Amino acid sequence: MKIVEISHVSRVYKVGDHEQKALDDVSLELESGKTIVILGPSGAGKSTLLNLLGGLDSPTSGTIKIKGQDISTLNADQLAEYRASGVGFIFQAYNLIPTLTVLENVALVKEIAKDPLSSHDMLREVGLGDHMYKFPVELSGGEQQRVSIARAVTKNPDILLCDEPTGALDTETGIMVLKLLQRMAKEHGKTTIIVTHNQNIAKMADVVVHVKNGKIKEVINNDKPLAVEEVEW
Amino acid sequence: MLFKKLIRTIGRYKAQFISMIIMVGLGVGIFLGFNIEWKTLEVNVAKAFEDTGFADYRIVNERGFSEEDLKKIESIDGVDAASRFLSVNVPRKDDEDIVMLTVSENISVSGFKVLEGTPYDPDDAEGLWISERYAKQNGLSVGDTYTMVYKSLEFSGPIRGLVKSGEYMICLVEKAQLMPDHEKNGFVYVSPAYMKAKVGMTFYPQIHVRSDLPKETMIDRVEAALGKSYMIVDKELVTSYAEAHGEMTEGKTMAALLPVIFLAIAILTMITTMHRISISEKTQIGTLKSLGFKDRRILRHYAAYGLFISICGTVLGVVLGLGIGYFFINPNSVMGDYLDMEHWELHMPLWSIAVVIMINVVLVLATLYSVASMMKGTAAEALKPYAPKAMRRMWIEKKKVWKDLSFATKWNIRDILRHKSRSFMTLFGIISCMLILIASFGINDTLNSYIDDFFENSICYKTKIVLDTEQAGDADVAALIDRYEADWTSSMGVQIGENTYAMEIYGLEHEYFRFVKGHGEHIDLPDDGVLICERIAKKEGLKVGDTFTVSVYGTSEKYDLKVADIAKSISESVMMSDTYAGKLGVNYQITELFTNETEIEESPIISSTQTKQALLDTFKSFTELMNVMIVMLVFISVLLGIVVLYNLGIMSYAERYRELATLKVVGFKDRHISRILIDQNLWMTILGVLVGIPAGIGVLKILLVMLASDYELTLTIKWLTYLIATALTFGVSFIVGVMVSRKNKDIDMVEALKVAE
Ligand SMILES: Nc1ncnc2c1ncn2[C@@H]1O[C@H](COP(=O)(O)OP(=O)(O)OP(=O)(O)O)[C@@H](O)[C@H]1O
Ligand SMILES: [Mg+2]
């Protein structure tokens, strides 16, 4: 089943009189349940693409269908609903709320998601069962990223969107986070889209999308995606 | 280059800068305004007194002073000048106006200043010098003829000059009158020669004296000179002097209380805001440092922000201060109605300039302090973004209920506790707003209930008749009492120890006058004791059941009186029934009658009449003076509330920007997020209101003691006042909450989360 259908999407930024095309007439279709890695140099338009998929931003032209629903025409409230139940975000900068405990950071999505999972279970699953009552600053970077994964999965969305999830972590911690991500995606049957400029991460993907200058250069199907342990880092 | 940065930064934090300039402006403006108010009064009142030879002492003898008496007083060592003086209330012919016919033998004492017309001439046996204010109100000008009736004689003559006099700066013809009525009342000076031509010998019941001698010395020397003790009234007890200085004291009190709140808020807001700005500038400060800028250079750069704000604020404040000063003190203001004086130029105490400079210094130091803490340590450390204090678990989190709270509630609670200074400032702003509202509405309530309780309950007559005590024989008075079915009173001066009070004896067959205490509870005038007013009770330390001794002025009579109860009274007086006076054998002469009749026939023994309505009217215009103040205070406190809350609101919003963006990304709707922000505002407002009410009552108590201890007011706050004050405060808080939370529609999620700080 096609979960993502992007057709002729452009995102143009106006900087003064100058027009900056972050995405330029992009079309892409993605299958449900797969792991997709978006690769490309800095400034290629990766984050822009991901933000459009996540309903953080709207395209200048073109349509984006998620599970057949066109999200490019939604109003602010409808987009919020889509973000609340349809997608989970994981950022390089974790973006946890510093004044809420780990458990509260995860549990807060239960107030908005349509069909959330148990936040306690989820934290245990990501191995933070003992840290539930700590505040984000009391955790390491890797641990914080695990909280943010738990938060994203607790919403029980169809898609997980990850923008450089390991960007701020050292290699070893990065591997741990990726492992977790892969496991969670498998166990809960999520479509996972990871933005990165790390070639190695691409090896664990079912599909690799290369982006450059706001255009999709190529889409490679990987028949034999590797488990995280099998990748040589 | 750094200058460009300065301009851009100011642009970036526009809202903060503007609200801080307004805060500083309000603080400085109110500080200057209130100080200008009393200083202007002080200078101009002193000038008016100086210009017209205002007397320091008045020696009183109901039987009159002779020329020899005057000579003896003049020759006292330490007396600069003395003058025999007469002032009587007389009606204008065929009119209800009452003017004070005045003669001062030596016009350099208790005289006047001619604004228009010819100078005073002691030998002019025809002309009148008339109150300029009264003349203007009645369309009289120099050369017109004016006629009064005195001792059944027509006192008439051409107006020689329009004048002002310190003696009549507050021109009240009646002791229960609170505000002058320049249309109905004025004063007319004539020369001794005029009096001589009309009535032969002038009767002078007072000698006015200009002297720097202290009161005790004066009393001793006068007694030595005249061989007898007379009542000596010093200027502090003369209405014009006492009330004008009362206004100054009020001004000083307000100047000491109100601006403190505003200045404190301005300085605290400055500190919190500059702290906030320097936090978000921290990496920039680090960058500048790592580029090689010296600390001092960077500090100077940031000091410029503080200086910019405080200078703009000060300019605004000076304009506002002059505005406030003028608003209160100008010839057309309520104060202008009250005080009849020539000069109204604004004056400012010199030290207030120093204070304003100091405020500027403090503001700049506050800025420097905030910035300095951001650039501590090495350039590398300074480069690191500001790390807020780590969250600690609070006692409340250990409670069971905590678990059941929504995340939004938890978030708000932690946010409040984490940003203590911001929360404190917010609370302080709301409390101040509430406090000022309660206190200012409370003044109004208290005054109104005073009118209701006292005037409505105590004055039951329609007309008061003031008798001419020189003309009225006992039989005449008795005839009048019969004719008008009147009640009556007699008033005489008495001393308790060193202090002078009035003793009033009442014959109240018809209960046209009644006594009240507290909130208008009625007390009967007892036959075995006296009522004393609250002020005498306080000053003399008397309680119900105590006995005290009074001595009647100018006689050797002494009486021991028992305090039966404590009542409210406009003047400081001891009140007794005619029965009790009879028992004690007090000698008295009836001075005033109270009647339900409104048509009072003219008579040589009646010096004037006054209706209850006229009395109420003067009180109403007195409350107008308060109302002006109240309107201004309400306006100011609402403005204060809006500015403080808005400034803190956008600060809080900026601080939580990333968190708000995260909530949005996670899927919270704008409405939901607004509600969370407004909730926090609401809690703070509820808390602020709860604290603000008792604080307001406290301030009101202080204000009543400081400003109106002459009026025996009972603190009264109506439910409506609580309601309106609370509604206004919530309104302010709600409006600001909506203004701030509407901004979250504009949160750019992509932008907010792009840079990993
Ligand atoms: N708010 C903006 N205004 C103007 N141009 C923008 C804005 N955001 C992004 N761009 C431009 O759009 C292009 C794509 O940006 P995007 O953030 O998607 O790149 P990216 O592939 O994620 O790069 P990186 O790997 O560095 O994160 C860039 O050239 C960038 O300059
Ligand atoms: Mg990116």
Side-chain angles (χ1 to χ4, degrees):
Chain A
M1 191 188 90
K2 298 257 183 297
I3 191 160
V4 173
E5 295 162 87
I6 300 171
S7 59
H8 305 290
V9 163
S10 296
R11 178 66 174 95
V12 184
Y13 288 109
K14 276 218 170 68
V15 187
D17 309 332
H18 172 75
E19 286 198 343
Q20 170 78 28
K21 281 190 177 166
L23 283 180
D24 186 6
D25 195 26
V26 166
S27 296
L28 180 67
E29 295 187 346
L30 299 172
E31 288 285 330
S32 169
K34 298 274 184 323
T35 300
I36 298 106
V37 165
I38 301 176
L39 270 180
S42 184
K46 307 183 294 292
S47 297
T48 306
L49 182 59
L50 203 71
N51 292 337
L52 288 175
L53 288 175
L56 297 186
D57 194 8
S58 296
T60 316
S61 64
T63 57
I64 300 169
K65 281 188 186 164
I66 306 291
K67 280 171 77 181
Q69 185 196 19
D70 187 356
I71 62 162
S72 48
T73 57
L74 298 182
N75 66 23
D77 274 0
Q78 290 165 330
L79 271 178
E81 273 165 35
Y82 164 67
R83 289 194 301 269
S85 301
V87 287
F89 262 101
I90 295 147
F91 291 96
Q92 178 179 348
Y94 329 132
N95 290 321
L96 300 176
I97 293 178
T99 46
L100 294 180
T101 60
V102 166
L103 179 60
E104 288 159 3
N105 257 289
V106 176
L108 78 90
V109 297
K110 299 181 73 168
E111 292 185 17
I112 45 168
K114 279 201 196 84
D115 186 19
L117 303 172
S118 154
S119 40
H120 280 86
D121 291 352
M122 200 54 60
L123 279 168
R124 264 181 236 116
E125 265 187 63
V126 301
L128 291 174
D130 298 336
H131 299 293
M132 286 195 209
Y133 301 103
K134 286 189 175 169
F135 284 99
V137 286
E138 296 167 325
L139 301 183
S140 70
E143 287 166 337
Q144 288 192 48
Q145 196 57 299
R146 274 143 70 188
V147 178
S148 118
I149 292 172
R151 181 174 68 186
V153 180
T154 300
K155 286 202 283 189
N156 202 9
D158 297 310
I159 309 175
L160 292 179
L161 300 172
C162 317
D163 197 346
E164 312 259 13
T166 61
L169 303 172
D170 60 61
T171 319
E172 220 154 298
T173 320
I175 292 170
M176 250 184 59
V177 166
L178 284 172
K179 255 193 222 167
L180 177 69
L181 208 52
Q182 200 171 42
R183 199 184 85 218
M184 301 293 278
K186 286 264 148 59
E187 272 169 24
H188 296 278
K190 308 293 180 211
T191 306
T192 311
I193 304 176
I194 303 171
V195 160
T196 182
H197 43 234
N198 185 336
Q199 298 281 348
N200 290 324
I201 294 177
K203 289 178 189 149
M204 52 184 270
D206 298 307
V207 181
V208 178
V209 180
H210 285 271
V211 182
K212 202 175 174 188
N213 291 334
K215 291 203 184 286
I216 292 181
K217 286 292 161 214
E218 59 179 335
V219 180
I220 299 166
N221 283 303
N222 187 357
D223 294 338
K224 285 207 188 77
L226 298 176
V228 179
E229 304 84 55
E230 297 162 338
V231 178
E232 277 181 43
W233 298 92
Chain B
M1 265 333 225
L2 279 186
F3 182 71
K4 268 194 195 150
K5 177 174 171 315
L6 184 115
I7 301 296
R8 288 216 187 96
T9 309
I10 290 172
R12 184 153 160 230
Y13 299 104
K14 225 176 9 226
Q16 264 111 330
F17 274 77
I18 290 175
S19 57
M20 293 216 297
I21 289 171
I22 294 178
M23 282 307 309
V24 174
L26 272 180
V28 171
I30 287 168
F31 170 77
L32 287 180
F34 280 87
N35 280 301
I36 288 174
E37 194 242 22
W38 69 259
K39 185 69 185 178
T40 298
L41 276 184
E42 189 176 87
V43 173
N44 292 327
V45 165
K47 191 159 169 44
F49 285 152
E50 193 52 46
D51 284 351
T52 61
F54 190 71
D56 299 299
Y57 294 101
R58 291 110 220 275
I59 308 166
V60 184
N61 178 7
E62 298 296 336
R63 291 175 190 88
F65 287 106
S66 65
E67 226 163 299
E68 288 80 68
D69 291 336
L70 178 68
K71 291 233 167 65
K72 286 174 190 160
I73 297 292
E74 275 175 334
S75 60
I76 290 175
D77 190 20
V79 167
D80 301 332
S83 170
R84 289 196 295 171
F85 187 86
L86 169 74
S87 171
V88 281
N89 290 0
V90 300
R92 181 178 184 182
K93 187 175 179 254
D94 301 328
D95 202 298
E96 292 193 334
D97 296 3
I98 307 269
V99 294
M100 295 192 263
L101 176 64
T102 311
V103 190
S104 183
E105 253 188 327
N106 171 0
I107 208 69
S108 74
V109 180
S110 295
F112 53 80
K113 183 171 176 188
V114 180
L115 300 186
E116 213 177 290
T118 48
Y120 174 74
D121 173 6
D123 300 323
D124 187 331
E126 283 174 355
L128 315 173
W129 283 265
I130 191 165
S131 152
E132 183 243 13
R133 199 76 181 260
Y134 173 76
K136 288 269 154 71
Q137 290 274 331
N138 286 284
L140 297 169
S141 40
V142 175
D144 291 355
T145 301
Y146 187 82
T147 312
M148 300 156 280
V149 181
Y150 177 48
K151 295 185 190 272
S152 306
L153 290 173
E154 281 191 11
F155 274 51
S156 187
I159 294 172
R160 296 273 194 251
L162 305 184
V163 305
K164 287 204 186 292
S165 165
E167 188 70 16
Y168 300 114
M169 182 183 292
I170 298 172
C171 189
L172 303 176
V173 295
E174 162 65 44
K175 75 173 176 192
Q177 195 182 352
L178 288 163
M179 282 292 281
D181 181 340
H182 297 290
E183 203 188 313
K184 292 208 172 69
N185 307 128
F187 57 91
V188 177
Y189 274 85
V190 295
S191 67
Y194 184 103
M195 291 303 276
K196 192 161 186 195
K198 280 281 176 206
V199 290
M201 253 268 293
T202 315
F203 165 77
Y204 292 109
Q206 296 185 16
I207 293 180
H208 284 199
V209 177
R210 302 202 60 189
S211 163
D212 295 331
L213 291 176
K215 190 169 182 189
E216 280 73 44
T217 322
M218 195 69 200
I219 291 172
D220 292 346
R221 292 195 186 170
V222 168
E223 192 172 348
L226 299 180
K228 202 169 159 211
S229 106
Y230 288 98
M231 175 156 145
I232 296 184
V233 180
D234 65 26
K235 62 183 171 194
E236 266 91 31
L237 294 174
V238 177
T239 306
S240 291
Y241 189 95
E243 294 301 319
H245 282 78
E247 293 296 335
M248 286 171 218
T249 317
E250 278 176 31
K252 280 182 190 167
T253 309
M254 294 301 265
L257 275 182
L258 253 192
V260 172
I261 296 180
F262 285 87
L263 285 176
I265 290 178
I267 291 170
L268 287 175
T269 321
M270 187 86 171
I271 293 174
T272 6
T273 314
M274 283 322 288
H275 186 63
R276 166 67 218 160
I277 290 177
S278 56
I279 284 172
S280 53
E281 292 263 304
K282 184 169 190 290
T283 44
Q284 295 201 41
I285 295 173
T287 309
L288 291 176
K289 248 182 112 153
S290 63
L291 282 175
F293 283 95
K294 293 214 179 71
D295 281 9
R296 242 188 311 133
R297 179 83 199 279
I298 301 173
L299 276 180
R300 216 166 52 220
H301 170 71
Y302 282 93
Y305 294 118
L307 200 63
F308 172 79
I309 290 169
S310 53
I311 287 177
C312 288
T314 303
V315 170
L316 183 69
V318 169
V319 173
L320 190 68
L322 290 171
I324 292 175
Y326 182 78
F327 178 74
F328 280 126
I329 311 291
N330 74 73
N332 301 315
S333 66
V334 185
M335 191 66 78
D337 257 359
Y338 194 42
L339 300 182
D340 181 14
M341 58 183 187
E342 189 188 357
H343 296 280
W344 293 89
E345 302 84 34
L346 296 182
H347 294 270
M348 190 190 297
L350 271 182
W351 55 263
S352 64
I353 297 170
V355 171
V356 169
I357 292 172
M358 236 169 60
I359 292 166
N360 280 274
V361 172
V362 168
L363 289 175
V364 172
L365 285 180
T367 316
L368 286 180
Y369 170 78
S370 315
V371 179
S373 65
M374 286 299 127
M375 44 189 284
K376 275 197 212 107
T378 62
E381 278 166 315
L383 256 176
K384 279 194 201 127
Y386 174 74
K389 262 188 273 154
M391 284 303 304
R392 256 182 291 121
R393 324 214 55 205
M394 296 163 296
W395 57 271
I396 189 171
E397 298 180 24
K398 304 200 175 90
K399 299 271 180 282
K400 263 230 168 66
V401 283
W402 180 257
K403 272 205 356 227
D404 302 328
L405 296 175
S406 76
F407 106 88
T409 310
K410 291 177 187 167
W411 188 40
N412 270 332
I413 292 178
R414 291 223 187 87
D415 184 68
I416 290 170
L417 294 171
R418 192 172 181 225
H419 302 282
K420 288 209 185 58
S421 65
R422 188 187 72 209
S423 309
F424 174 76
M425 282 298 307
T426 308
L427 208 56
F428 195 69
I430 297 169
I431 292 174
S432 310
C433 178
M434 190 68 191
L435 177 156
I436 299 174
L437 287 175
I438 290 273
S440 43
F441 284 135
I443 291 177
N444 195 34
D445 286 350
T446 303
L447 276 176
N448 281 336
S449 81
Y450 176 69
I451 298 182
D452 291 349
D453 291 349
F454 186 71
F455 275 74
E456 301 292 349
N457 288 328
S458 146
I459 298 178
C460 308
Y461 58 79
K462 290 215 174 86
T463 313
K464 173 160 82 176
I465 302 169
V466 182
L467 301 175
D468 185 335
T469 44
E470 286 168 53
Q471 306 284 317
D474 288 352
D476 302 331
V477 175
L480 269 190
I481 290 174
D482 259 5
R483 176 169 172 190
Y484 294 116
E485 298 190 326
D487 282 346
W488 54 264
T489 180
S490 159
S491 179
M492 63 189 83
V494 295
Q495 272 191 311
I496 305 175
E498 283 289 287
N499 299 321
T500 309
Y501 303 107
M503 183 160 86
E504 289 158 1
I505 297 161
Y506 288 89
L508 300 175
E509 225 180 291
H510 312 277
E511 291 212 74
Y512 286 145
F513 194 88
R514 305 208 298 178
F515 301 89
V516 292
K517 66 176 178 184
H519 283 282
E521 295 121 54
H522 179 216
I523 353 176
D524 280 319
L525 199 54
D527 287 338
D528 54 355
V530 296
L531 302 179
I532 56 173
C533 74
E534 289 170 10
R535 275 165 293 166
I536 295 183
K538 204 159 167 205
K539 274 196 211 163
E540 303 297 335
L542 292 171
K543 302 185 302 295
V544 175
D546 288 353
T547 304
F548 63 100
T549 307
V550 296
S551 44
V552 178
Y553 248 126
T555 69
S556 53
E557 293 167 43
K558 279 192 197 306
Y559 301 102
D560 289 329
L561 304 175
K562 199 180 120 230
V563 180
D565 212 335
I566 293 166
K568 282 185 181 296
S569 162
I570 287 189
S571 54
E572 290 183 291
S573 36
V574 174
M575 298 149 270
M576 68 168 80
S577 65
D578 53 342
T579 321
Y580 190 51
K583 277 188 203 165
L584 295 170
V586 183
N587 283 316
Y588 59 85
Q589 190 182 12
I590 293 174
T591 48
E592 287 172 2
L593 307 184
F594 310 123
T595 170
N596 240 356
E597 299 291 324
T598 45
E599 300 292 311
I600 309 296
E601 205 176 290
E602 261 187 53
S603 149
I605 66 167
I606 294 177
S607 90
S608 68
T609 60
Q610 187 188 33
T611 60
K612 176 179 179 178
Q613 194 49 48
L615 200 61
L616 269 175
D617 288 347
T618 70
F619 204 89
K620 290 266 151 64
S621 54
F622 173 73
T623 54
E624 262 170 35
L625 193 105
M626 283 292 186
N627 286 338
V628 168
M629 184 87 106
I630 289 162
V631 167
M632 206 188 77
L633 286 177
V634 168
F635 177 75
I636 285 174
S637 57
V638 167
L639 191 64
L640 168 92
I642 289 178
V643 174
V644 172
L645 292 183
Y646 184 71
N647 182 34
L648 293 162
I650 51 176
M651 232 160 81
S652 145
Y653 171 80
E655 267 163 9
R656 299 209 269 180
Y657 190 76
R658 251 185 109 76
E659 294 173 43
L660 295 172
T662 303
L663 288 184
K664 250 182 120 155
V665 167
V666 166
F668 280 86
K669 292 182 184 152
D670 290 339
R671 234 176 307 124
H672 198 154
I673 300 174
S674 299
R675 213 170 51 228
I676 298 174
L677 292 174
I678 290 178
D679 267 355
Q680 192 186 42
N681 225 329
L682 205 67
W683 301 350
M684 298 304 265
T685 312
I686 291 174
L687 195 60
V689 164
L690 289 181
V691 179
I693 288 176
I697 296 175
V699 168
L700 185 56
K701 272 190 188 146
I702 298 174
L703 281 179
L704 289 186
V705 171
M706 293 214 265
L707 302 184
S709 51
D710 298 357
Y711 294 111
E712 306 192 344
L713 300 174
T714 311
L715 187 135
T716 313
I717 299 176
K718 296 207 177 86
W719 282 112
L720 195 62
T721 292
Y722 290 119
L723 213 69
I724 293 175
T726 308
L728 271 177
T729 308
F730 269 98
V732 165
S733 154
F734 183 75
I735 289 168
V736 173
V738 168
M739 256 155 57
V740 171
S741 66
R742 266 170 48 156
K743 284 174 144 261
N744 66 40
K745 279 210 185 61
D746 308 331
I747 291 178
D748 183 341
M749 290 176 279
V750 178
E751 205 57 34
L753 300 176
K754 187 150 71 187
V755 259
E757 260 184 51

Tab-separated table of all heavy atoms in Angstrom, chain A residues 13 15 20 22 41-48 164 197, chain B residues 751 754, ligand 1:
chain	number	residue	atom	x	y	z
A	13	TYR	N	11.030	29.638	-0.957
A	13	TYR	CA	11.191	30.679	0.070
A	13	TYR	C	11.478	31.989	-0.615
A	13	TYR	O	12.263	32.057	-1.553
A	13	TYR	CB	12.358	30.346	1.006
A	13	TYR	CG	12.077	29.201	1.945
A	13	TYR	CD1	12.702	27.974	1.774
A	13	TYR	CD2	11.200	29.366	3.014
A	13	TYR	CE1	12.460	26.923	2.648
A	13	TYR	CE2	10.951	28.323	3.884
A	13	TYR	CZ	11.585	27.099	3.700
A	13	TYR	OH	11.338	26.076	4.563
A	15	VAL	N	13.289	35.323	-0.240
A	15	VAL	CA	14.264	36.047	0.577
A	15	VAL	C	14.495	37.381	-0.104
A	15	VAL	O	15.239	37.467	-1.072
A	15	VAL	CB	15.597	35.264	0.689
A	15	VAL	CG1	16.530	35.940	1.672
A	15	VAL	CG2	15.328	33.824	1.090
A	20	GLN	N	14.114	31.366	-3.339
A	20	GLN	CA	14.968	30.223	-3.049
A	20	GLN	C	14.111	28.972	-3.143
A	20	GLN	O	13.160	28.799	-2.374
A	20	GLN	CB	15.542	30.378	-1.628
A	20	GLN	CG	16.266	29.173	-1.090
A	20	GLN	CD	17.669	29.034	-1.660
A	20	GLN	OE1	18.299	30.019	-2.029
A	20	GLN	NE2	18.142	27.791	-1.760
A	22	ALA	N	13.637	25.527	-2.251
A	22	ALA	CA	14.132	24.486	-1.351
A	22	ALA	C	13.751	23.117	-1.909
A	22	ALA	O	14.503	22.160	-1.809
A	22	ALA	CB	13.566	24.667	0.044
A	41	PRO	N	23.372	16.265	0.410
A	41	PRO	CA	24.274	17.232	1.049
A	41	PRO	C	23.494	18.315	1.788
A	41	PRO	O	22.282	18.425	1.626
A	41	PRO	CB	25.034	17.817	-0.133
A	41	PRO	CG	24.145	17.625	-1.307
A	41	PRO	CD	23.376	16.385	-1.052
A	42	SER	N	24.219	19.083	2.527
A	42	SER	CA	23.591	20.168	3.283
A	42	SER	C	22.913	21.150	2.344
A	42	SER	O	23.442	21.481	1.289
A	42	SER	CB	24.665	20.881	4.117
A	42	SER	OG	24.050	21.859	4.908
A	43	GLY	N	21.738	21.553	2.686
A	43	GLY	CA	21.019	22.534	1.865
A	43	GLY	C	20.275	21.911	0.712
A	43	GLY	O	19.679	22.602	-0.106
A	44	ALA	N	20.248	20.570	0.661
A	44	ALA	CA	19.629	19.890	-0.472
A	44	ALA	C	18.124	20.005	-0.444
A	44	ALA	O	17.461	19.964	-1.482
A	44	ALA	CB	20.043	18.416	-0.458
A	45	GLY	N	17.556	20.131	0.739
A	45	GLY	CA	16.096	20.218	0.843
A	45	GLY	C	15.498	19.054	1.610
A	45	GLY	O	14.290	18.852	1.620
A	46	LYS	N	16.344	18.299	2.308
A	46	LYS	CA	15.900	17.106	3.031
A	46	LYS	C	14.921	17.476	4.140
A	46	LYS	O	13.825	16.912	4.238
A	46	LYS	CB	17.118	16.378	3.651
A	46	LYS	CG	18.232	16.061	2.671
A	46	LYS	CD	19.355	15.288	3.323
A	46	LYS	CE	20.116	16.078	4.384
A	46	LYS	NZ	20.911	17.188	3.829
A	47	SER	N	15.359	18.402	4.967
A	47	SER	CA	14.506	18.798	6.095
A	47	SER	C	13.203	19.393	5.593
A	47	SER	O	12.129	19.135	6.148
A	47	SER	CB	15.221	19.815	6.983
A	47	SER	OG	16.365	19.228	7.543
A	48	THR	N	13.305	20.165	4.506
A	48	THR	CA	12.105	20.780	3.945
A	48	THR	C	11.101	19.700	3.570
A	48	THR	O	9.911	19.792	3.891
A	48	THR	CB	12.488	21.610	2.705
A	48	THR	OG1	13.518	22.522	3.074
A	48	THR	CG2	11.290	22.379	2.176
A	164	GLU	N	17.873	13.756	11.130
A	164	GLU	CA	19.202	13.583	11.727
A	164	GLU	C	19.109	13.117	13.174
A	164	GLU	O	19.632	13.777	14.070
A	164	GLU	CB	19.976	14.922	11.695
A	164	GLU	CG	19.940	15.624	10.369
A	164	GLU	CD	21.213	15.422	9.554
A	164	GLU	OE1	22.013	14.534	9.931
A	164	GLU	OE2	21.382	16.109	8.554
A	197	HIS	N	22.837	12.676	6.417
A	197	HIS	CA	23.852	12.690	5.351
A	197	HIS	C	24.922	11.658	5.648
A	197	HIS	O	26.002	11.692	5.122
A	197	HIS	CB	24.426	14.089	5.086
A	197	HIS	CG	24.745	14.873	6.320
A	197	HIS	ND1	24.243	16.124	6.542
A	197	HIS	CD2	25.478	14.571	7.388
A	197	HIS	CE1	24.669	16.556	7.710
A	197	HIS	NE2	25.422	15.639	8.237
B	751	GLU	N	11.143	26.873	11.765
B	751	GLU	CA	12.188	27.808	12.172
B	751	GLU	C	12.610	27.563	13.616
B	751	GLU	O	13.784	27.534	13.955
B	751	GLU	CB	11.607	29.228	12.025
B	751	GLU	CG	12.630	30.299	11.830
B	751	GLU	CD	13.501	30.015	10.622
B	751	GLU	OE1	13.022	29.454	9.607
B	751	GLU	OE2	14.693	30.346	10.730
B	754	LYS	N	14.641	24.357	13.993
B	754	LYS	CA	15.745	24.118	13.066
B	754	LYS	C	17.082	24.129	13.791
B	754	LYS	O	17.785	23.136	13.821
B	754	LYS	CB	15.729	25.174	11.975
B	754	LYS	CG	16.745	24.867	10.899
B	754	LYS	CD	16.382	25.353	9.516
B	754	LYS	CE	16.414	26.797	9.273
B	754	LYS	NZ	15.926	27.262	8.008
C	1	LIG	N1	13.270	29.913	6.199
C	1	LIG	C1	14.021	29.859	5.078
C	1	LIG	N2	14.144	30.965	4.332
C	1	LIG	C2	14.864	30.919	3.183
C	1	LIG	N3	15.486	29.843	2.726
C	1	LIG	C3	15.391	28.705	3.432
C	1	LIG	C4	14.653	28.671	4.654
C	1	LIG	N4	14.722	27.386	5.133
C	1	LIG	C5	15.491	26.695	4.247
C	1	LIG	N5	15.872	27.480	3.246
C	1	LIG	C6	16.686	27.080	2.119
C	1	LIG	O1	16.132	25.924	1.583
C	1	LIG	C7	17.138	25.016	1.194
C	1	LIG	C8	16.869	23.666	1.827
C	1	LIG	O2	16.980	23.718	3.198
C	1	LIG	P1	16.857	22.430	4.107
C	1	LIG	O3	16.799	22.892	5.524
C	1	LIG	O4	15.745	21.593	3.637
C	1	LIG	O5	18.245	21.707	3.802
C	1	LIG	P2	18.784	20.330	4.374
C	1	LIG	O6	18.885	19.447	3.223
C	1	LIG	O7	17.970	19.884	5.508
C	1	LIG	O8	20.231	20.745	4.847
C	1	LIG	P3	21.035	20.258	6.169
C	1	LIG	O9	21.575	18.926	5.862
C	1	LIG	O10	22.099	21.287	6.305
C	1	LIG	O11	20.070	20.254	7.305
C	1	LIG	C9	18.454	25.613	1.670
C	1	LIG	O12	19.131	26.114	0.542
C	1	LIG	C10	18.062	26.719	2.569
C	1	LIG	O13	18.934	27.821	2.411
